[in-house]
């Protein structure tokens, strides 16, 4: 009933928007935009071509934009009102001024740009963006501006994002909901431990910004019940040869385990850009280590009394990562651009835990019945390759009419070898019985996709977007399990999975006068899947067609106020690895297993945001999810725990947040604060289980700008308890401090700092009974993450004015604003 009501509201809204968008030319005439013209010149009076020209609202929303021609002339159309006029060109100082657009035509005074001598000499970009930006459609973390990011990897940086939680298996949630991870505007095709390995091997210095998009538009894949997290890497827009090389050293001694944790990373980024081509090559290598203290306490009533399974283990892990990225954009002519990107990451991971570090005890009413000691060795290797071929054709630059085609191929191979030697001693005996377990897994994932996106401005001020996509995914998993001892076993599990997804979408965005804007769209996705559990002789066939409407409405009553409303529907398909029906052991008595019969999860979301000036914003959201996927706990008579993926039921969620972004407390201190409160109710469809919780997320950052180009940044993050399905997450807190100093006009930078300043990094979880909601098992994980870091980065190259690609930042911002105020989720 609730879904029908939601669909009725969406259908009514879409019909209303359709009436607006397809209105008669007479209506469009009443909304006629005002022609704005002018000239860009140098101080000598010579015209400047290819300068970026933009009219912006007070919240940096793009109202209109273009570039000057070879004679320095520009022409654009904008609604009446007072706007900020911005002009930029590489090699010149940016200009910003307030202008008033009035009917019937506005001719602006010539704008003169001064050469930036410092930039021309050293290619140093001095523009400063706040570390955290809250926009109408997303939250942006400007990682490149953070001193802390320079000494961290992608996984550590993502953990600092407001509302983001990453569990032990690499699952990433935003405000308690699963999200899809994208890289540079494209799906990463990774989840779980493969994604965790990729992010850990991504240097923080290579990341430009992280975008948290809770409510994406219909243009984006509907995957991810909590939206999309888009990680954007750095791209050089300067002509000529540019690049940077750097290295980091990190280490810390932990006396409790007599272990010195040592890490190093090296990277090189090169870019060669001319008027016809842009080529970039990135390479990175890193050796890392991370240790975890893992305690599991499981209690359950049995016929003989209270059974308790206690496990204590310490895992030492070493991780090596390498990554090569090669890309090229070829500007065939003014209307055509052809490009490709090839990524080659490969990682290896090894962890071990000696016999004295792995002890499990089985007790009945406090009396020990059995004791197990084990030695564990895990080896994993991930080899990936992805290739993208893209083409853009501009039909009409004045109408922003263009077509972009993307062809993608992705291949991920994963090998794992888990070995356990177990020694068991029963009550009343001094002898140890030996046994062993080895699980060897070999997995392969292949993905092919093709996507076409078209956009054009219609009826003077309506942006129309439409596109289609097809993707084919296939996995093959072979796992061999060998057990020795009292119950020997040699068993092989083979599981394959094939998935086809076809999608099509359209969006309309329109500026309704200077204060109102609206964007509405609809996406259809058809899914066909076939899972073949060859070993068990069972097959799973599914096919379904789903509709995903989106609606965004924006209102800007004054230059310092903006409000936005959004309505979206999304899907979370089962992860490839969570479908694989094979057991993986966390310790001798705790295992996880996949489920080929998993159903997709659906989420309906509504959001509201308000911005006040440059630094303050408020937001509220509500969500309703069905067929929620989670790990469902089961136990045997001895208290051994098995976490199997399944469909839990329903969750309801409501949340509010308040943000203060880079507030200038003084000329040398900026303060960022983000506070989020969330209520969530979890209801099982199979049992009487129902749990609710109130939780909060807090993040703050103090950035000190000191004399002589010194910068100090302190960052802290805290989370209160939270219940999600059968899991209760305990409070957590972490803090970092970093220092940055630049030399030689910014060409050389020194980074130093301390990660996990107070050694508080941990994740403790209660696993709740699937019927009563009482605590059955407690999982405590303490991470030995503290590191002292020091690193150097050298940047080189010479800047000069060059042509920008016409599908670049300005056009992307135009689509994101939806014609002045409505976000597309980009």
């Amino acid at each position: 009933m609730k879904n029908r009501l939601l669909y009725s509201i969406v259908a009514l809204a879409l019909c209303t928007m359709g009436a607006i968008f397809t209105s008669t030319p007479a209506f469009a005439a009443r909304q006629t935009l005002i022609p704005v013209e002018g000239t860009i010149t140098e101080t000598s009076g010579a015209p400047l071509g290819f300068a970026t020209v933009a009219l912006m609202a007070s919240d940096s929303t793009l109202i209109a934009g273009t570039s000057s021609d070879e004679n320095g002339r520009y022409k654009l159309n904008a609604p009446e009102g007072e706007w900020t006029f911005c002009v930029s060109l590489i090699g010149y100082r940016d200009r910003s001024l307030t202008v008033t657009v009035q009917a019937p035509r506005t001719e602006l005074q010539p704008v003169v740009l001064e050469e930036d001598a410092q930039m021309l000499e050293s290619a140093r970009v001095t523009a400063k963006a706040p570390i955290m930006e809250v926009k109408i459609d997303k939250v942006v973390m400007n990682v490149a501006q953070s001193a802390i990011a320079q000494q961290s990897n992608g996984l550590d940086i993502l953990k600092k994002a407001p509302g983001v939680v990453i569990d032990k298996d690499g699952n990433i949630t935003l405000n308690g909901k699963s999200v899809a991870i994208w890289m540079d505007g494209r799906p990463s095709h990774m989840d779980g431990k493969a994604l965790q390995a990729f992010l850990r091997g991504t240097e923080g210095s290579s990341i430009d910004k992280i975008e948290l998009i809770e409510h994406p538009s219909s243009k984006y894949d509907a995957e991810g019940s909590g939206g999309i997290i888009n990680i954007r890497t750095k791209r050089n827009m300067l002509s000529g040869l540019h690049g940077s090389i750097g290295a980091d050293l990190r280490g810390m001694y932990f006396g409790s385990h007599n272990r010195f944790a040592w890490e190093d990373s090296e990277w090189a980024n090169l870019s060669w850009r001319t008027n016809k081509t842009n080529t970039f090559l990135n390479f990175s290598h890193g050796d890392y280590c991370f240790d975890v203290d893992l305690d599991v306490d499981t209690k359950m009533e049995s016929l003989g009394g209270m059974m308790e399974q206690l496990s204590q283990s310490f895992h030492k892990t070493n991780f090596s990562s390498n990554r090569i990225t090669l890309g090229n954009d070829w500007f065939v002519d003014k209307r055509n651009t052809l490009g490709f990107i090839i990524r080659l990451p490969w990682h290896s991971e090894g962890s071990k835990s000696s016999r004295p570090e792995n002890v499990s005890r089985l007790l009945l009413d406090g009396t020990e019945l059995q004791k197990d000691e084990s030695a564990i060795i895990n080896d994993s290797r991930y080899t990936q390759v992805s290739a993208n071929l893209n083409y853009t054709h501009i039909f009409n630059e004045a109408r922003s009419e263009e077509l972009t085609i993307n062809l993608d191929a992705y291949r991920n191979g994963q090998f794992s070898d888990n070995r356990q030697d177990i020694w068991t001693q029963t009550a009343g005996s001094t002898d140890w019985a030996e046994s062993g377990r080895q699980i060897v897994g070999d997995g392969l994932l292949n993905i092919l996709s093709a996507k076409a996106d078209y956009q054009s401005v219609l009826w003077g001020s309506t942006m129309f977007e439409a596109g289609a996509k097809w993707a084919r995914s296939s996995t093959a998993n072979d796992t061999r399990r060998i057990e020795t001892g009292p119950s020997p076993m040699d068993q092989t599990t083979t599981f394959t999975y094939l998935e086809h997804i076809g999608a099509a979408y359209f969006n309309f965005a329109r500026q309704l006068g200077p204060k109102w804007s609206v964007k509405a769209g609809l996406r259809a996705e058809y899914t066909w899947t076939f899972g073949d559990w060859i070993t068990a002789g069972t097959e799973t066939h599914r096919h379904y067609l789903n509709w995903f409407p989106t609606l965004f409405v924006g209102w800007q009553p004054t230059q310092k106020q903006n409000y936005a409303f959004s309505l979206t529907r999304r899907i979370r398909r089962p992860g490839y690895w969570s479908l694989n029906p094979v057991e993986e052991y966390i310790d001798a008595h705790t295992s996880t297993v996949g489920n080929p019969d998993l159903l997709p999860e659906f989420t309906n979301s509504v959001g509201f945001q308000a911005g006040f000036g440059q630094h303050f914003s408020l937001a509220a959201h509500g969500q309703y999810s069905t067929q929620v996927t989670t790990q469902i706990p089961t136990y045997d008579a001895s208290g051994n725990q098995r976490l199997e993926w399944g469909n839990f039921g329903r969750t309801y969620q409501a949340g509010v947040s308040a943000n203060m972004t880079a507030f200038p407390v003084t000329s040398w201190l900026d303060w960022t604060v983000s506070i989020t409160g969330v209520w969530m109710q979890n209801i099982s469809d199979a049992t009487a289980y129902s749990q609710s919780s109130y939780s909060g997320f807090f993040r703050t950052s103090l950035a000190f700008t000191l004399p002589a180009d010194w910068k100090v940044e302190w960052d802290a993050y805290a989370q209160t308890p939270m219940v999600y399905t059968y899991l209760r997450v305990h409070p957590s807190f972490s803090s970092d401090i970093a220092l940055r100093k630049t030399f030689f006009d910014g060409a050389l930078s020194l980074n130093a700092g301390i990660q996990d300043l107070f050694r508080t990094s941990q994740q403790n979880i209660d696993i709740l009974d699937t019927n009563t909601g009482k605590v059955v098992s407690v999982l405590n994980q303490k991470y030995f993450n503290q590191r002292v870091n020091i690193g150097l980065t050298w940047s080189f190259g010479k800047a000069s004015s060059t042509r920008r690609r016409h599908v670049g930042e300005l056009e992307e911002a135009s689509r994101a604003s939806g014609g002045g105020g409505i976000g597309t989720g980009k």
Side-chain angles (χ1 to χ4, degrees), residues 222-225 525 544 546 548 570-573 600-602:
E223 173 66 34
S225 59
E525 292 192 352
Y544 43 89
N546 300 112
F548 302 96
R570 300 190 61 76
I571 187 175
R572 179 194 180 192
R573 295 181 181 85
E601 173 183 329
F602 294 93

Side-chain angles (χ1 to χ4, degrees), residues 779-793:
L779 179 70
N780 293 328
Q781 301 171 100
K782 178 176 176 57
Y783 302 112
F784 293 80
N785 282 344
Q786 188 179 73
R787 301 287 187 272
V788 173
N789 167 83
I790 186 168
L792 287 173
T793 301

Side-chain angles (χ1 to χ4, degrees), residues 433-493:
E434 295 187 28
S435 62
R437 177 188 297 128
Q438 182 177 14
I439 299 177
V440 180
D442 197 353
L444 182 64
L445 167 64
N446 285 297
I447 298 176
L448 296 173
S449 71
K451 181 183 179 183
D453 298 286
Y454 171 81
Q455 70 167 41
S456 181
V457 175
L458 307 177
W459 308 305
S461 62
T462 299
M463 173 63 77
F464 171 71
E465 296 175 311
K469 180 180 179 179
W470 167 83
R472 178 189 184 275
S473 305
S474 63
T475 68
N477 301 276
D478 289 293
T479 306
R480 185 182 180 188
R481 177 173 174 172
I482 304 171
E483 294 200 10
T484 60
S487 303
M489 175 191 298
D490 191 341
Q491 174 183 293
T492 299
T493 300

Side-chain angles (χ1 to χ4, degrees), residues 514-692:
K515 296 182 179 181
W516 287 92
S517 56
V518 65
K519 181 167 188 172
L522 184 64
R523 185 180 185 92
E525 292 192 352
Y526 176 78
T527 306
W528 180 93
T529 68
F530 172 57
D532 189 0
W533 188 356
I534 298 174
T535 307
T538 61
E539 298 178 352
T540 304
H541 298 263
R542 298 195 192 284
H543 61 90
Y544 43 89
L545 174 65
N546 300 112
W547 300 87
F548 302 96
T550 58
L551 174 65
F552 301 85
V553 179
W555 178 46
Q556 186 173 354
T558 69
Q559 291 293 309
K560 294 187 177 181
Q561 297 180 54
N562 62 79
Y563 304 90
F565 168 84
S566 61
L567 185 67
T568 58
R569 174 174 168 82
R570 300 190 61 76
I571 187 175
R572 179 194 180 192
R573 295 181 181 85
Y576 301 117
W577 57 281
S578 62
L579 292 165
N580 187 13
V582 66
E583 282 190 294
E584 294 186 3
Y585 277 81
I586 301 173
D587 58 34
H589 300 281
T590 306
S591 63
T592 64
V593 64
N595 179 3
D597 295 321
L598 271 179
L599 297 173
E601 173 183 329
F602 294 93
T603 297
N604 305 295
S605 302
V606 61
F608 175 78
Q609 288 184 305
F612 308 96
Q614 183 180 354
H615 305 287
F616 302 96
S617 66
L618 298 172
H621 75 273
Q623 291 182 337
Y624 166 59
S625 300
T626 58
Q627 298 178 179
V628 174
T629 57
T630 189
Q631 289 177 304
I632 299 176
T634 58
Y635 304 88
D636 63 17
S638 298
N640 295 318
Q641 180 177 253
R642 191 172 190 248
L643 301 172
E644 181 177 3
W645 282 97
N647 291 104
F648 162 78
R650 295 163 286 147
T651 63
Y652 300 85
Q653 185 183 121
V656 294
S657 64
N659 304 277
M660 181 176 72
T661 305
F663 181 75
V665 180
T666 68
S667 59
W668 46 268
L669 173 61
D670 289 348
W671 186 18
T672 294
V673 180
S674 176
I675 303 174
T676 300
V678 177
W679 168 83
M680 179 180 289
Q681 185 175 20
N682 308 268
I683 301 175
S684 171
D685 287 336
T687 68
Y689 177 93
S690 178
Q691 292 283 321
S692 62

Side-chain angles (χ1 to χ4, degrees), residues 143 149 151-160 166 172 195-196 198-207 210 231 288:
V143 174
Q151 62 179 26
S152 306
N153 59 49
L155 190 67
D156 293 331
I157 294 171
L158 194 55
K159 288 179 180 178
K160 301 177 189 300
I166 305 176
I172 300 174
L195 177 61
Q196 196 174 36
F198 180 83
L199 292 174
R200 185 176 284 116
T202 302
E203 281 298 320
S205 59
S206 69
I207 299 176
I210 295 177
I231 301 173
Y288 312 91

Side-chain angles (χ1 to χ4, degrees), residues 292-497:
V292 180
D293 237 335
L294 178 63
D295 296 336
V296 181
D297 184 359
T298 302
K299 295 180 180 179
M300 56 185 299
E301 294 183 3
S302 67
L303 295 178
M306 178 61 71
M307 187 77 70
E308 184 173 13
Q309 180 80 60
L310 293 171
S311 298
Q312 296 176 311
S313 59
F314 177 69
H315 298 267
K316 299 185 288 287
T317 302
N318 294 293
F319 179 80
S320 180
S321 171
N322 301 275
R323 190 175 63 167
I324 297 175
T325 303
L326 173 65
N328 177 266
D329 291 327
W330 176 35
F331 308 111
V332 181
D333 53 39
K334 190 176 181 180
R335 294 182 179 272
N336 297 280
T337 302
L338 184 65
F340 73 86
I341 301 174
I342 298 175
R343 292 187 174 94
L344 298 169
W346 66 99
H347 319 285
S348 63
E349 179 178 327
S351 66
K352 62 181 180 179
S353 187
S354 63
R355 180 175 177 179
E357 296 170 329
N358 271 290
V359 180
S360 297
R361 301 165 60 216
L362 179 64
L363 297 89
L364 179 63
D365 290 333
T367 301
E368 183 174 298
L369 301 181
Q370 179 177 309
K371 182 178 182 179
D372 294 307
E373 296 179 355
S374 58
I376 301 175
I377 298 178
N378 293 318
D379 289 312
S380 301
R381 294 191 295 273
Y382 308 89
T383 304
Q384 301 159 8
V385 57
S386 65
N388 167 266
L389 181 64
N390 57 81
Y391 168 73
T392 298
H393 175 73
I394 300 175
F395 297 97
N396 189 315
E397 189 173 359
R399 296 203 313 264
S400 298
E401 184 182 7
E402 64 183 44
L403 173 69
T404 299
I405 298 174
N406 281 279
L407 302 177
D408 287 275
Y410 173 83
R411 181 182 179 90
N412 178 32
Q414 178 177 340
F415 173 82
S416 62
D417 185 358
N418 173 262
R419 287 165 287 170
Q420 300 183 44
D421 295 320
I422 304 171
W423 295 263
T424 302
Q425 185 183 67
T426 57
S429 174
T430 58
D431 296 329
W432 294 89
E434 295 187 28
S435 62
R437 177 188 297 128
Q438 182 177 14
I439 299 177
V440 180
D442 197 353
L444 182 64
L445 167 64
N446 285 297
I447 298 176
L448 296 173
S449 71
K451 181 183 179 183
D453 298 286
Y454 171 81
Q455 70 167 41
S456 181
V457 175
L458 307 177
W459 308 305
S461 62
T462 299
M463 173 63 77
F464 171 71
E465 296 175 311
K469 180 180 179 179
W470 167 83
R472 178 189 184 275
S473 305
S474 63
T475 68
N477 301 276
D478 289 293
T479 306
R480 185 182 180 188
R481 177 173 174 172
I482 304 171
E483 294 200 10
T484 60
S487 303
M489 175 191 298
D490 191 341
Q491 174 183 293
T492 299
T493 300
T494 302
F495 177 73
T496 64
Y497 179 76

Side-chain angles (χ1 to χ4, degrees), residues 204-216:
S205 59
S206 69
I207 299 176
D208 182 37
K209 59 184 64 180
I210 295 177
E211 300 171 338
L212 310 176
I213 313 170
E214 278 198 86
H215 306 289

